[in-house]
């Protein structure tokens, strides 16, 4: 009797335990079905699914474990896709591996590490093969294999990726209008997906589309196709997401071609600033490139060439290196170094991007040859001096009433003594002759500092002993003279720290008040001869 009673109790316990296991199994299956069959999985359902699978595992039969691991990993993947939690993707991949769902395990890993190796075969579990193909196509795009990408994206036009691959192929073949149309189709698809408040799990797991960068590429294609207004509008939209150096650069080119000079210069400046702000190091080759273009457009060719050289010496992106090299040679040509830079420029144009102004460069190079041919038969006689008057100017008048002022001008230079090694100051004296000085003669006093341009002229005469003597003068016009201030001048000469000459150099001379001293002297704008600060090369 005791044995029979014990057997009955054991049988009842086994039936109860089995009933409990069946309840857990049913709950686990139902919770998985809600997530797997839902058009858009909800976070609460996915979390409940993970818990029900975990509760079933301790009482599951060995044959049931693989399926439970798959279900749990699938639901963990749904949770991670909704929350975009990196650790969640990693945990899901581990469970899916145990559930023998290699495709889904890879899809989980690739969300965190796009370089994760793809499976060797397509796993049809849970119908995620299309998403896997999207990722394989995305990876092919990243390595530049457009044919492979197009094959992977085939049949999935609604995702936008097929159009994007077609656009990149058209852009590569310089069919920029077609590229812009394809890019626009892809951007529209991705914009719709972004507006979807409850995307399906496969959509959540699809490759990420960088919409601001896509808009930048679209703006670039529109620029190259000649649709300047559309390009500017598209790039404005791209920049709403935040500053981006390339978007600023494309917009600068579009505005430049549209004749919006000041706006384009501002964008070149912003491109350099954005590149510097995003640089990982304290310097940025891309920032130097954009700053060089800004200086080139301002016709500061020497400084522009320095910037392009810095770009090449730093971490300028490989795709921009040919452009940086061509800009460097173009700056040298524009600065007048035709013989040394023209051939280098022509060679570098073979590798530049379509955004480089090739036609402008070729025109300048051709003109450079013309200028060289003209200059070969000419000569140059030009002197630029900055110094202090050694004595008051002596002013006389020709019979026709033209004033001529003569004086000596001192310029200083430093040289190192070869024996003692000490630095010494050396003063050079120059004989200056200035014509038409009636408006400035009263200011040409001893110690006054001036800037003057002129030409060298050598004359000869016979002295009392009949010996021929030669002397050289710098012949100038008054309009090439700029009064820079006093350096010990006296009387009504402007002092270096007073009156007109203590104003900032950037103030236009026509807006400066006349000197307080010498009330009889003419106002400043009467003797500046039309010279502005831009005419003074320092």
């Amino acid at each position: 009797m005791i044995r029979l009673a014990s057997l009955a109790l054991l049988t009842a316990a086994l039936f109860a335990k089995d009933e409990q296991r069946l309840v857990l199994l049913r709950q686990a299956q139902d919770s998985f079905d809600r997530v797997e069959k839902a058009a858009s999985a909800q976070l609460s359902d996915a979390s409940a699914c993970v818990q029900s699978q975990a509760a079933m595992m301790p009482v599951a039969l060995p044959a049931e474990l693989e399926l439970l691991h798959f279900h749990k990993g699938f639901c963990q993947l749904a949770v991670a896709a909704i929350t975009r939690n990196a650790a969640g993707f990693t945990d899901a991949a581990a469970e899916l591996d145990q559930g023998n769902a290699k495709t889904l395990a890879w899809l989980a890993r690739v969300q965190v590490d796009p370089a994760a190796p793809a499976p060797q075969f397509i796993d049809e579990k849970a119908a995620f093969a299309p998403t896997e193909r999207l990722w394989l196509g995305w990876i092919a795009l990243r390595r530049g294999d457009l044919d492979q990408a197009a094959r992977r994206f085939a049949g999935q036009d609604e995702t936008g990726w097929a159009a994007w691959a077609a656009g990149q192929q058209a852009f590569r073949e310089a069919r920029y209008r077609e590229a812009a149309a394809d890019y626009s189709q892809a951007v529209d698809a991705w914009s719709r997906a972004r507006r979807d408040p409850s995307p399906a799990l496969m959509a959540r797991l699809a490759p990420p589309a960088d919409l601001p960068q896509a808009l930048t590429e679209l703006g670039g294609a529109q620029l190259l196709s000649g649709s300047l207004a559309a390009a500017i509008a598209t790039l404005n939209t791209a920049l709403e997401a935040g500053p981006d150096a390339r978007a600023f650069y494309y917009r600068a080119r579009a505005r430049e071609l549209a004749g919006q000079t000041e706006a384009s210069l501002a964008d070149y400046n912003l491109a350099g600033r954005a590149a510097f702000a995003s640089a990982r190091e304290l310097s940025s080759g891309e920032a130097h490139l954009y700053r060089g273009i800004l200086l080139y457009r301002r016709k500061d060719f020497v400084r522009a060439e320095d910037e392009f050289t810095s770009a090449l010496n730093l971490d300028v992106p490989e795709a921009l290196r040919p452009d940086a090299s061509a800009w460097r040679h173009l700056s040298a040509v524009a600065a007048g170094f035709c013989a040394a830079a023209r051939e280098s420029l022509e060679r570098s144009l073979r590798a530049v991007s379509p955004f480089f102004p090739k036609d402008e460069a070729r025109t300048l190079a051709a003109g450079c040859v013309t200028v060289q041919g003209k200059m070969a038969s000419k000569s140059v006689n030009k002197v630029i001096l900055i110094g202090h008057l050694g004595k008051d100017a002596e002013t006389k008048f020709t019979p026709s009433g033209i004033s001529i002022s003569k004086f000596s001008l001192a310029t200083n230079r430093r040289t190192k003594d070869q024996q003692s090694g000490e630095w010494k100051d050396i003063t050079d004296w120059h004989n200056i002759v200035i014509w038409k000085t009636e408006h400035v003669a009263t200011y040409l006093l001893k110690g006054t500092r001036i800037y003057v341009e002129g030409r060298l002229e050598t004359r000869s005469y016979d002295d009392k002993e009949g010996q021929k003597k030669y002397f050289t003068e710098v012949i100038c016009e008054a309009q090439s003279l700029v009064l820079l201030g006093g350096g010990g001048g006296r009387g009504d000469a402007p002092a270096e720290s007073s009156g007109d000459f203590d104003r900032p150099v950037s103030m236009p001379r026509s807006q400066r008040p006349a000197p307080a001293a010498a009330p009889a002297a003419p106002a400043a704008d009467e003797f500046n001869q039309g010279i502005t600060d831009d005419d003074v090369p320092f």
Side-chain angles (χ1 to χ4, degrees):
M1 288 295 294
I2 295 176
R3 287 184 177 181
L4 289 175
S6 298
L7 183 60
L9 288 173
L10 179 60
T11 302
L14 288 173
F15 275 115
K17 186 174 181 180
D18 192 55
E19 182 67 23
Q20 179 185 15
R21 195 186 69 80
L22 291 174
V23 169
L24 291 174
L25 183 61
R26 189 177 301 111
Q27 289 176 346
Q29 184 63 46
D30 289 345
S31 63
F32 172 77
D33 289 342
R34 278 195 297 275
V35 175
E36 196 266 341
K37 295 178 181 179
S40 176
Q42 302 299 308
L43 180 60
S44 58
D45 289 340
S47 299
C49 172
V50 173
Q51 295 172 359
S52 65
Q53 309 306 315
M56 178 61 199
M57 283 184 178
V59 297
L61 300 175
E64 299 169 336
L65 284 175
E66 180 178 310
L67 184 63
L68 287 172
H69 280 298
F70 165 67
H71 286 178
K72 182 182 178 183
F74 181 93
C75 293
Q76 284 180 318
L77 183 59
V79 170
I82 296 170
T83 61
R84 305 311 298 177
N85 180 273
F89 284 119
T90 302
D91 293 341
E95 288 291 338
L96 290 166
D97 278 334
Q98 295 186 67
N100 199 28
K102 302 303 181 183
T103 296
L104 283 179
W106 175 69
L107 287 177
R109 289 190 178 92
V110 81
Q111 307 295 323
V112 181
D113 178 16
Q120 298 300 314
F121 60 92
I122 294 179
D123 178 7
E124 298 294 342
K125 260 184 183 175
F128 271 76
T131 307
E132 180 193 36
R133 287 197 294 271
L134 284 181
W135 272 102
L136 293 174
W138 183 85
I139 292 171
L141 274 183
R142 290 187 67 185
R143 65 171 182 262
D145 189 345
L146 299 183
D147 291 338
Q148 176 72 3
R151 286 195 294 272
R152 294 292 187 181
F153 293 145
Q156 303 192 70
D157 294 346
E158 73 284 355
T159 67
W161 285 106
W164 188 256
Q168 289 209 338
Q169 185 65 49
F171 190 95
R172 181 178 289 183
E173 296 171 359
R175 295 181 283 112
Y176 301 121
R177 194 173 298 278
E178 293 179 36
D182 289 330
Y183 285 163
S184 182
Q185 182 180 338
V187 166
D188 288 344
W190 294 335
S191 297
R192 287 194 301 271
R194 178 170 289 192
R195 291 192 296 268
D196 187 353
S198 301
L201 180 57
M202 282 200 299
R204 292 183 187 273
L205 295 176
D210 190 333
L211 196 55
Q213 287 300 311
L215 286 166
T216 298
E217 296 291 349
L218 171 58
Q222 291 169 331
L223 160 64
L224 295 174
S225 69
S227 303
L228 302 180
I232 293 171
T234 299
L235 294 164
N236 287 342
T237 305
L239 288 166
E240 289 176 0
D244 178 79
R246 198 152 52 94
F248 280 127
Y249 171 56
Y250 289 170
R251 194 173 71 177
R253 287 286 293 137
R255 285 176 164 172
E256 185 176 63
L257 294 173
Q260 303 172 17
T261 304
E262 292 303 319
S264 70
L265 292 177
D267 274 347
Y268 282 132
N269 185 36
L270 290 171
R273 290 176 178 271
F276 182 78
S278 62
R280 297 180 180 178
E281 305 294 338
L282 294 178
S283 58
S284 165
E286 188 175 4
H288 282 287
L289 170 62
Y290 298 139
R291 176 166 172 75
I293 298 174
L294 172 63
L295 291 170
Y296 182 91
R297 290 307 182 199
R298 287 178 173 170
K299 301 188 183 303
D300 193 346
F301 303 124
V302 174
R303 291 175 62 198
E305 185 180 1
D306 289 342
E307 290 292 336
F308 297 133
T309 301
S310 296
L312 292 167
N313 288 334
L314 295 172
D315 60 337
V316 65
E318 211 48 47
L320 296 176
R321 183 166 288 275
D323 283 20
S325 178
W327 274 111
R328 175 171 170 260
H329 298 313
L330 181 59
S331 298
V333 170
F337 300 101
C338 295
R342 184 175 61 84
E343 292 184 3
S344 297
L345 172 61
E346 291 175 347
R347 285 196 301 270
S348 66
L349 290 179
R350 302 168 190 164
V352 295
S353 77
F355 297 99
F356 185 86
K358 294 174 71 171
D359 291 342
E360 176 186 343
R362 289 191 173 114
T363 300
L364 184 63
C368 181
V369 176
T370 303
V371 170
Q372 279 187 306
K374 290 181 178 179
M375 293 299 291
S377 60
K378 296 181 180 294
S379 59
V380 176
N381 182 355
K382 185 173 183 178
V383 178
I384 297 176
L385 295 172
I386 298 175
H388 293 83
L389 271 70
K391 62 179 181 179
D392 294 352
E394 178 185 349
T395 302
K396 296 182 180 181
F397 292 85
T398 66
S400 60
I402 299 176
S403 61
I404 305 174
S405 295
K406 297 184 178 182
F407 55 87
S408 57
L409 187 72
T411 58
N412 296 322
R413 56 189 172 90
R414 302 199 77 197
T415 183
K416 192 174 185 180
D417 189 286
Q418 297 297 324
Q419 296 181 350
S420 65
E422 296 180 354
W423 287 94
K424 295 182 178 181
D425 292 322
I426 297 178
T427 300
D428 295 310
W429 291 95
H430 314 274
N431 296 316
I432 310 296
V433 178
I434 302 184
W435 290 71
K436 301 177 183 178
T437 58
E438 52 268 17
H439 292 307
V440 295
T442 55
Y443 292 93
L444 297 176
L445 302 174
K446 181 179 180 180
T448 301
R449 188 164 175 261
I450 66 169
Y451 165 91
V452 68
E453 292 183 11
R455 70 179 187 278
L456 289 176
E457 187 173 295
T458 301
R459 293 189 291 151
S460 64
Y461 66 95
D462 295 330
D463 62 12
K464 295 178 181 180
E465 287 76 25
Q467 298 292 323
K468 187 174 289 290
K469 299 291 185 181
Y470 296 89
F471 65 97
T472 300
E473 297 170 317
V474 179
I475 311 299
C476 315
E477 295 285 342
Q479 65 186 16
S480 66
L481 169 70
V482 179
L483 298 173
L484 301 177
R490 60 185 187 283
D492 57 359
E496 193 164 9
S497 60
S498 65
D500 179 38
F501 304 105
D502 65 351
R503 296 291 195 275
V505 174
S506 60
M507 177 184 288
R509 297 183 190 276
S510 60
Q511 298 178 13
R512 304 179 189 176
D525 60 353
E526 292 180 17
F527 64 82
N528 73 17
Q529 302 293 325
I531 297 172
T532 67
D533 290 299
D534 292 334
D535 297 315
V536 183
F538 50 85

